[in-house]
Amino acid sequence: LQDIRNTVGNIPMEWYQDFPHVGYNLDGKKIYKPIRNKDELDMFLEKMENPDYWRTVQDKMTGADIKLTDEQVDLVHRLQRGQFGDVRFDPYEPAVDFFTHEVMIHPVTNRPADKRSFIPSLTEKEKVSKLVHAIKMGWIKPRKPKDDAPTYYDLWAHEDPNSILGRHKMHVPAPKMKLPGHEESYNPPPDPEPGLSSRSRSLAWGAQGTSTGAEVGVGGDGRGTTTAAVDGRGTAWSCLTACFSQVNVDPEDLIPKLPKPRDLQPFPTTQALVYRGHTSLVRCLSISPSGQWLVSGSDDCTVRFWEVCTARCMKTLPVGGVVKSVAWNPNPTVCLVAVCVEQSVLLVNPCLGDKLLYGATDQLLESYVAPEEERVQPVQWATATVEEHGKGVRLVVQHGKAVKQVTWHGKGDYFASVVADNSNMQVLIHQTSKRWSQNPFRKSKGLVQCVLFHPVRPYFFVATQRYVRVYNLLKQELTKKLMTNCKWVSSMAIHPGGDNIICGSYDSKLAWFDLDLSTRPYQLLR
C-alpha cells in the first residue's frame, strides 16, 4: 500500500508554491501547508541545538518534516559514492558465459531460404501501379508548399474617399407603437346598478333625464343585454353587459389524486450484492465510518471483513466462539473494531485502507503506560499474545459473564458493553486509552437489552424490556424515560442528528420516538 494522503499524483510540486495548500486528500479537501514562521536566527538555533537537524528533510507532498532513518541515510551515502542502492548486490561477481566461444562447423539449422526473399512481390507491384495511374490521371496531387508570407491587406483599399461611410448608411428605424386596443378606443358608460334587470335598467336610464340624452334602447339575445343610448349631438353609443354565472367547484377536485398505498414500494426490489462466505447464522454487522468496509460476525466462530462495493472478503478472523456483536469505531482517525465473543470483548485492528491510519492506531495503543498502583476494576484488560497479534487482535477485555452487546462513543475512546446478568453489573463503560472500566449504575432497573451513546450530546440510552431510559453523563442523572408500548425491546438505533430514535421489539413492532416531542412513541409501525 502507498501513502494516499495527497492525491495530486506525480506532478511538479512547484505548481503549488503560490497556493496555501499542497494538494487534496481522498475526500477532496485541501491539504494546507504547515505554518513556517521561523526566521534565519531560529533556523540557526535549531541547526545548533537539534542533533537530528542534518537528517531532517521536508516532504514536498505534505510539507511536513521527516526524520530519515539509519537505513535511509546509508542509502543516500551509497548513492553519493556512486555505489549501488542494494547492499546485497555484488557488481564483481563472476560473469556467466551464456554462449560458448567455440564456433561450430555445421549450422544449427540448414533450412533453405524462402522464395519470397529473392522474388519481387506481386502485391506491392500492383499497389505501385495503381498509385502511378492515379498520379497520371490527376486523382492524387502533390502537396502544395506552404506559403509562410504574412497575409496583410489594406482594409480601405477599395473604399471611395468621397462616399459616406458604411456605418452612416445604416439607418435603424424607431420601434413602432402598439396599436390602440379597446381600452383606449372606447369607454362604456357606467351601469346604473349592477343587480338590475333589463327592464329596470332601461327605466333607470330614462329616469336620469339629462338634457343631452334623447333615446334609450334595450335589447338582448339570451347571452347578455345590449344597451344603446343617443346623446344630444346625434351620436349613438352601445355597450354589451354580460351576465356571469357562478361556477361551483368541488374542493376535492382541486386536490391531486394520491396513489394507492399498495402501489408504493418504499423498499428495494432488486438484489445488488451478496456477501457469501459465512457457513452459519450471521448475527451482527457494522460499517466503517468511511463506508468502504463492512465487518460481520457469525455462529461459525469467525469475523469477516468485506469491501462494501465489491462484496469481496478481505480478511477472515477466527475467534473461537460465537460472535454476538461487532462495532466499528466511529472515529475516522482510528482503525479499530470491537468484537463480543463469549465472555470477552476483542479490540481488533483489521489493517485495512491507509497504512498510516492503522499504523497510527497501533502506536496509540502501544503508548499506554500502566499506573503505579493497580486499580480494582470489574473486568480484566489483557494484551494479545504474539499469535493473536498476528491475526489483528490488540487487546482483550475479559468479563465475568457472557457479553451480548458492545457499542462505541462518538469520539471513539469510550465503549460500553452489556453483560447477560440480573445484577447492577449489566452495563459497563470502558476507556481504551487508559484501559479503565467502571460500572455507572448502583442498582438494576430491569433486564438490559441494549445500550447506545448519543452521537452529539452527553446522553446515554439504556433499553430494558419495556422502557428506554436516557441518562445525562455529565450530571449523572436520569433525564427521560421513554415508554415503548411493546413487549421486550430487541434493538435500538438513533438518528445521526440525535433527535429521533427507533426501537425494535420481539412482537414485530417499531416504536419511533421524537425526543423533542414526547416520551411516548411518535408513531408505532407494525
Side-chain angles (χ1 to χ4, degrees):
L1 294 175
Q2 60 181 351
D3 187 358
I4 56 175
R5 287 178 294 180
N6 198 345
T7 59
V8 295
N10 187 14
I11 65 168
M13 297 307 295
E14 291 81 6
W15 294 353
Y16 286 93
Q17 64 183 1
D18 296 333
F19 294 94
H21 59 283
V22 294
Y24 302 88
N25 58 11
L26 281 179
D27 299 329
K29 298 181 180 178
K30 295 180 181 179
I31 302 177
Y32 289 95
K33 298 177 183 177
I35 299 175
R36 295 183 177 272
N37 52 4
K38 296 180 181 179
D39 54 7
E40 294 185 1
L41 182 59
D42 294 334
M43 297 290 291
F44 177 75
L45 292 177
E46 184 181 5
K47 183 178 180 180
M48 293 294 104
E49 297 174 357
N50 187 6
D52 295 327
Y53 177 81
W54 63 275
R55 62 165 60 193
T56 303
V57 297
Q58 181 184 0
D59 187 4
K60 293 183 179 181
M61 294 292 289
T62 59
D65 292 336
I66 298 177
K67 177 184 173 183
L68 298 180
T69 60
D70 295 338
E71 292 81 4
Q72 293 172 338
V73 173
D74 293 340
L75 175 61
V76 172
H77 288 168
R78 285 197 302 273
L79 295 178
Q80 288 178 343
R81 291 195 297 266
Q83 299 177 355
F84 291 94
D86 191 0
V87 184
R88 295 167 295 182
F89 182 75
D90 185 11
Y92 305 108
E93 62 183 1
V96 178
D97 193 5
F98 295 99
F99 303 97
T100 58
H101 62 279
E102 299 177 358
V103 181
M104 295 186 293
I105 302 174
H106 302 286
V108 178
T109 61
N110 201 13
R111 181 172 175 268
D114 292 328
K115 187 177 181 180
R116 63 173 176 268
S117 63
F118 54 86
I119 292 181
S121 173
L122 297 178
T123 307
E124 294 180 359
K125 179 181 178 182
E126 185 179 357
K127 287 184 178 180
V128 170
S129 63
K130 286 183 179 181
L131 293 175
V132 170
H133 180 64
I135 293 174
K136 287 181 179 180
M137 297 298 292
W139 300 335
I140 299 179
K141 296 181 180 179
R143 297 178 181 174
K144 294 182 180 180
K146 291 184 178 180
D147 187 11
D148 297 334
T151 56
Y152 300 139
Y153 61 93
D154 188 2
L155 190 63
W156 296 279
H158 304 287
E159 189 74 29
D160 186 6
N162 298 323
S163 65
I164 303 176
L165 293 180
R167 63 175 178 270
H168 295 158
K169 298 176 185 178
M170 296 164 56
H171 172 66
V172 180
K176 294 183 178 180
M177 295 288 292
K178 181 182 176 184
L179 294 177
H182 297 291
E183 294 84 0
E184 291 84 359
S185 63
Y186 171 57
N187 291 318
D191 283 346
E193 290 186 20
L196 296 178
S197 62
S198 300
R199 181 166 181 78
S200 300
R201 186 181 292 109
S202 63
L203 295 176
W205 274 67
Q208 289 181 357
T210 59
S211 60
T212 57
E215 296 180 5
V216 174
V218 178
D221 58 354
R223 294 174 294 177
T225 58
T226 303
T227 305
V230 181
D231 58 8
R233 291 171 297 183
T235 306
W237 302 88
S238 66
C239 63
L240 178 67
T241 304
C243 297
F244 297 99
S245 60
Q246 184 179 2
V247 180
N248 295 323
V249 180
D250 188 6
E252 297 295 333
D253 296 338
L254 301 177
I255 302 176
K257 301 296 182 183
L258 296 177
K260 297 180 180 179
R262 68 170 66 96
D263 297 335
L264 299 176
Q265 293 183 345
F267 47 83
T269 58
T270 305
Q271 179 175 283
L273 293 172
V274 181
Y275 301 83
R276 301 189 186 277
H278 286 295
T279 58
S280 186
L281 181 67
V282 179
R283 289 190 176 272
C284 46
L285 295 173
S286 183
I287 301 177
S288 66
S290 64
Q292 185 179 3
W293 313 107
L294 170 72
V295 60
S296 61
S298 171
D299 283 359
D300 59 3
C301 304
T302 61
V303 175
R304 290 181 178 265
F305 297 90
W306 315 80
E307 191 174 18
V308 173
C309 59
T310 61
R312 175 187 175 191
C313 182
M314 307 297 295
K315 191 174 183 180
T316 303
L317 175 63
V319 293
V322 176
V323 181
K324 293 296 182 69
S325 176
V326 293
W328 207 298
N329 195 313
N331 191 345
T333 62
V334 179
C335 185
L336 211 60
V337 178
V339 182
C340 290
V341 182
E342 295 179 349
Q343 298 184 4
S344 302
V345 175
L346 309 180
L347 298 183
V348 181
N349 186 351
C351 298
L352 297 174
D354 190 358
K355 65 178 182 180
L356 297 175
L357 186 62
Y358 60 77
T361 303
D362 285 342
Q363 292 179 2
L364 182 65
L365 296 177
E366 292 171 359
S367 63
Y368 167 73
V369 178
E372 298 179 357
E373 297 181 2
E374 187 174 355
R375 297 172 292 185
V376 179
Q377 301 189 54
V379 297
Q380 293 182 356
W381 291 74
T383 308
T385 61
V386 178
E387 181 181 358
E388 292 175 341
H389 192 278
K391 296 179 181 179
V393 181
R394 298 296 183 261
L395 293 174
V396 181
V397 185
Q398 298 174 352
H399 295 64
K401 293 188 178 181
V403 186
K404 60 182 181 180
Q405 193 225 348
V406 64
T407 182
W408 285 95
H409 186 262
K411 297 288 183 63
D413 190 19
Y414 290 88
F415 68 94
S417 60
V418 180
V419 182
D421 191 5
N422 291 329
S423 63
N424 61 338
M425 302 288 290
Q426 295 183 76
V427 181
L428 299 174
I429 297 180
H430 316 272
Q431 188 176 6
T432 309
S433 59
K434 297 182 179 180
R435 301 188 187 180
W436 165 250
S437 303
Q438 56 184 335
N439 176 21
F441 302 111
R442 297 178 181 175
K443 57 182 180 179
S444 174
K445 294 294 182 74
L447 190 61
V448 178
Q449 302 294 316
C450 54
V451 296
L452 267 182
F453 286 99
H454 195 281
V456 182
R457 298 168 187 159
Y459 292 155
F460 189 55
F461 298 86
V462 179
T464 56
Q465 293 181 349
R466 301 295 296 271
Y467 306 102
V468 177
R469 291 175 171 85
V470 185
Y471 294 93
N472 191 324
L473 295 176
L474 293 181
K475 298 180 180 179
Q476 297 183 0
E477 63 182 10
L478 179 64
T479 304
K480 288 183 181 179
K481 183 178 179 181
L482 307 179
M483 317 289 184
T484 60
N485 296 339
C486 55
K487 279 193 175 182
W488 284 51
V489 175
S490 62
S491 56
M492 183 170 51
I494 189 169
H495 190 269
D499 295 333
N500 294 273
I501 188 171
I502 289 183
C503 296
S505 64
Y506 289 109
D507 56 353
S508 305
K509 291 181 183 178
L510 275 177
W512 175 8
F513 292 93
D514 189 341
L515 298 180
D516 298 334
L517 190 64
S518 172
T519 58
R520 296 189 177 274
Y522 168 69
Q523 198 166 1
L524 202 62
L525 308 175
R526 299 182 183 275

